């Protein structure tokens, strides 16, 4: 899949148009697939699909497996006959409204679904039980304890006392089954979209955060996988060291893996995680790939990342275990930042394409690895990512000297700079060129998806079809064809 020239668009599901406060897996998703296919674009990249915390960050989820039930499309449920007609006025449903409506749909499913549908649900629960049982109970308990992190739950639930867990499964059975139903519907809707995308020649490109949230079903149910003390508290957390951009580094606060335990168990937790993601996606990106070679580990009591240390990870053994289980996997390594020769060696040993960001290309001379003349075919080039400014916003912030150098390199002085970067990405030798939807629409900084290091206002951007003029769509299709990416 990654050995031929392709073009792709980066757009998260939450950014699709439509009613409510975020996009979903309804008709707008299918319209977007049609737009891609009509333009000759064969890759749709999203952010992680998981169930988020209140901050809506898809990189800190409640499960490494579960899909976000807020992406469930209500029309689909109504068309199944599981929502009564009186519940069909949900075009602008809030998140709490959606939770209520999926609860109604579950009751309708129990009352009106045909035997074949109920058998499919039972089969889903059985095949996904390796994560679904723990997740559904985790959500039921978390709701019961007012969204508190599991470490703050009553001791017998925090410690997963067998008797207490058995009693909770009985007492919360309806809530547990409702959560399983939500996941069944999410997977059904996603896989139907994936099948449609395949029919139209579009591959789905997913994203795996290397670390998981401490407040997650994964950590609660698999404490031995992570470096926790006897009480379940984190002994160390992950991050990145101080650098040019941050004097104190970044303290992410995620638990680090107990790699020795994972090795002893054949990396089973990771292999199962990959199993779920490969069901959902055709291509996968591993976020912070360098953490599979060594990760910056910080004592949990430290408030900054300054006093951390690099801790080696068995990346080669892990990737071999995944390969042995799943065969050759189209993985992309997010290899941005300070990358050592060891990280490059690990990436190249498995033939994984790395990432090139054009917004990083024009500041440090001709050896800059993000300049297109330094690319090899086996890479993925972006104008920018979800963490970058939009390319129009980036170009507006450049000094006149920086603009002059960039134009001199790109050789397109008559073209707006943000358009010249799209042109350069598609023209490059990189096998895959990905353009964020904001850049296709030529939007400024007020439309960016995320500002790293901030917690307010992120992950909320959405586009509208009237922003995509016929001229913009035609020009994009022309460039995709011109540079042989269709």
């Amino acid at each position: 899949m990654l050995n031929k020239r392709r073009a792709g668009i980066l757009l998260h599901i939450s950014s699709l148009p439509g009613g409510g406060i975020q996009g979903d897996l309804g008709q707008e998703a299918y319209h977007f697939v049609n737009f891609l296919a009509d333009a000759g674009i064969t890759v749709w990249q999203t952010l992680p699909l998981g169930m988020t915390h209140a901050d809506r960050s898809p990189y800190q989820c409640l499960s490494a497996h579960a899909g976000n039930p807020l992406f469930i499309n209500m029309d689909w449920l109504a068309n199944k006959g599981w929502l009564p007609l009186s519940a069909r006025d949900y075009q602008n449903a809030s998140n709490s409204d959606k939770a209520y409506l999926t609860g109604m749909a579950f009751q309708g499913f129990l009352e009106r679904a045909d035997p074949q549908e109920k058998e499919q649900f039972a089969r889903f629960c059985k095949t996904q039980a390796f994560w679904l049982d723990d997740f559904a109970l985790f959500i039921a308990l978390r709701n019961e304890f007012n969204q508190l992190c599991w470490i703050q739950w009553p001791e017998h639930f925090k410690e997963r006392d067998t008797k207490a867990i058995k009693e909770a499964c009985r007492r919360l059975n309806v809530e547990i089954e409702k959560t399983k139903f939500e996941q069944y519907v999410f997977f059904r809707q996603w896989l139907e979209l994936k099948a449609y995308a395949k029919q139209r020649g579009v591959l789905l490109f997913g994203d795996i955060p290397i670390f998981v949230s401490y407040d997650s079903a994964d950590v609660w149910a698999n404490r031995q996988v992570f470096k926790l003390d006897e009480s379940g508290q984190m002994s160390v957390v992950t991050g990145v060291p101080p650098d040019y951009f941050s004097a104190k580094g970044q303290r992410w606060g995620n638990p680090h893996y107990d790699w020795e335990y994972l090795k002893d168990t054949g990396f089973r937790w990771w292999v199962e995680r990959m199993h779920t993601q490969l069901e959902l996606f055709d291509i996968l990106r591993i976020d912070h790939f360098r953490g599979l070679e060594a990760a910056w580990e910080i004592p949990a009591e430290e408030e900054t990342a300054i006093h951390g240390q690099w801790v080696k990870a068995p990346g080669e053994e892990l990737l071999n275990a995944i390969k042995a289980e799943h065969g050759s996997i189209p993985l992309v390594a997010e290899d941005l930042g300070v990358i050592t020769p060891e990280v490059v060696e690990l990436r190249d040993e498995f033939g994984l394409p790395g990432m090139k960001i054009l917004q990083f290309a024009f500041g440090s001379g001709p050896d800059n690895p993000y300049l297109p003349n330094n690319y090899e075919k086996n890479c993925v080039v972006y104008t920018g990512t979800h963490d970058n400014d939009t390319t129009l916003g980036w170009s507006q912030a450049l000094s006149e000297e920086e603009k002059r150098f960039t134009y001199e390199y790109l050789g397109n002085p008559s073209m707006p700079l943000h358009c010249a970067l799209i042109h350069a990405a598609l023209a490059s030798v990189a096998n895959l060129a990905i353009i964020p939807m904001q850049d296709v629409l030529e939007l400024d900084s007020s439309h960016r998806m995320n500002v790293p290091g901030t917690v307010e206002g992120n992950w909320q951007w959405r586009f509208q079809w009237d922003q995509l003029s016929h001229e913009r769509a035609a020009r994009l299709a022309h460039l995709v064809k011109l540079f042989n990416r269709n």
Side-chain angles (χ1 to χ4, degrees), residues 108-126:
F109 170 83
L110 294 177
E111 294 172 358
R112 296 185 290 278
D114 60 44
Q116 182 180 7
E117 192 85 51
K118 289 182 177 178
E119 171 58 29
Q120 288 180 334
F121 174 51
R123 192 181 313 123
F124 172 83
C125 292
K126 183 177 180 180

Side-chain angles (χ1 to χ4, degrees), residues 136-194:
L137 176 59
F138 173 83
I139 293 298
L141 289 170
R142 195 168 185 271
N143 289 339
E144 185 170 66
F145 300 130
N146 298 314
Q147 315 305 315
L148 287 174
C149 179
W150 63 268
I151 197 68
Q152 298 173 283
W153 294 355
E155 191 72 13
H156 49 288
F157 290 122
K158 183 185 80 172
E159 298 294 336
R160 292 173 58 86
D161 174 77
T162 302
K163 183 178 179 181
I165 293 296
K166 186 175 181 179
E167 186 277 331
C169 287
R170 178 193 60 76
R171 176 170 50 85
L172 299 171
N173 179 63
V174 173
E175 182 74 15
I176 289 169
E177 290 300 303
K178 173 182 171 289
T179 296
K180 290 182 178 181
F181 172 75
E182 287 178 340
Q183 291 303 307
Y184 168 68
V185 171
F186 173 88
F187 273 70
R188 279 283 303 274
Q189 290 190 8
W190 180 266
L191 293 175
E192 286 177 11
L193 176 65
K194 184 184 179 186

Side-chain angles (χ1 to χ4, degrees), residues 72-299:
I72 290 173
N73 177 256
M74 295 294 132
D75 283 324
W76 189 94
L77 294 171
N79 291 336
K80 288 285 187 181
W82 303 338
L83 278 177
L85 290 176
S86 60
R88 295 195 65 170
D89 184 19
Y90 40 66
Q91 291 305 307
N92 295 299
S94 67
N95 289 351
S96 57
D97 291 337
K98 274 198 147 184
Y100 173 73
L101 288 166
T102 53
M104 289 183 64
F106 177 50
Q107 189 59 40
F109 170 83
L110 294 177
E111 294 172 358
R112 296 185 290 278
D114 60 44
Q116 182 180 7
E117 192 85 51
K118 289 182 177 178
E119 171 58 29
Q120 288 180 334
F121 174 51
R123 192 181 313 123
F124 172 83
C125 292
K126 183 177 180 180
T127 58
Q128 305 295 332
F130 65 93
W131 65 269
L132 185 59
D133 289 349
D134 285 325
F135 172 73
L137 176 59
F138 173 83
I139 293 298
L141 289 170
R142 195 168 185 271
N143 289 339
E144 185 170 66
F145 300 130
N146 298 314
Q147 315 305 315
L148 287 174
C149 179
W150 63 268
I151 197 68
Q152 298 173 283
W153 294 355
E155 191 72 13
H156 49 288
F157 290 122
K158 183 185 80 172
E159 298 294 336
R160 292 173 58 86
D161 174 77
T162 302
K163 183 178 179 181
I165 293 296
K166 186 175 181 179
E167 186 277 331
C169 287
R170 178 193 60 76
R171 176 170 50 85
L172 299 171
N173 179 63
V174 173
E175 182 74 15
I176 289 169
E177 290 300 303
K178 173 182 171 289
T179 296
K180 290 182 178 181
F181 172 75
E182 287 178 340
Q183 291 303 307
Y184 168 68
V185 171
F186 173 88
F187 273 70
R188 279 283 303 274
Q189 290 190 8
W190 180 266
L191 293 175
E192 286 177 11
L193 176 65
K194 184 184 179 186
Y196 183 77
K198 181 179 180 181
Q199 178 185 329
R200 301 254 22 214
V202 175
L203 303 173
L204 300 184
F205 183 0
D207 198 353
I208 301 178
I210 185 173
F211 301 118
V212 301
S213 171
Y214 178 63
D215 184 12
S216 67
D218 307 283
V219 179
W220 175 65
N222 303 280
R223 277 166 53 170
Q224 65 276 23
V225 168
F226 305 92
K227 290 185 175 180
L228 310 178
D229 63 23
E230 290 184 0
S231 68
Q233 298 282 355
M234 291 181 286
S235 54
V236 294
V237 298
T238 58
V240 290
D243 57 20
Y244 173 81
F245 300 101
S246 174
K248 295 182 178 180
Q250 297 178 42
R251 183 191 185 278
W252 294 336
N254 301 84
H256 197 194
Y257 297 109
D258 184 335
W259 287 115
E260 289 303 317
Y261 173 84
L262 283 164
K263 281 200 288 187
D264 290 344
T265 55
F267 301 98
R268 177 51 41 188
W269 183 88
W270 260 98
V271 168
E272 289 177 342
R273 184 185 190 189
M274 292 296 296
H275 175 82
T276 308
Q277 297 306 303
L278 287 169
E279 187 176 358
L280 298 173
F281 292 103
D282 301 296
I283 306 169
L284 291 168
R285 182 188 88 135
I286 296 185
D287 190 44
H288 196 62
F289 176 80
R290 73 105 52 246
L292 296 185
E293 192 280 324
W296 188 249
E297 192 175 87
I298 309 157

Side-chain angles (χ1 to χ4, degrees), residues 25 51 110 180 224 311 364 437 447 461 466:
L25 298 175
M51 188 174 181
L110 294 177
K180 290 182 178 181
Q224 65 276 23
V311 175
S364 59
M437 192 62 183
H447 297 269
W461 177 76
D466 60 11

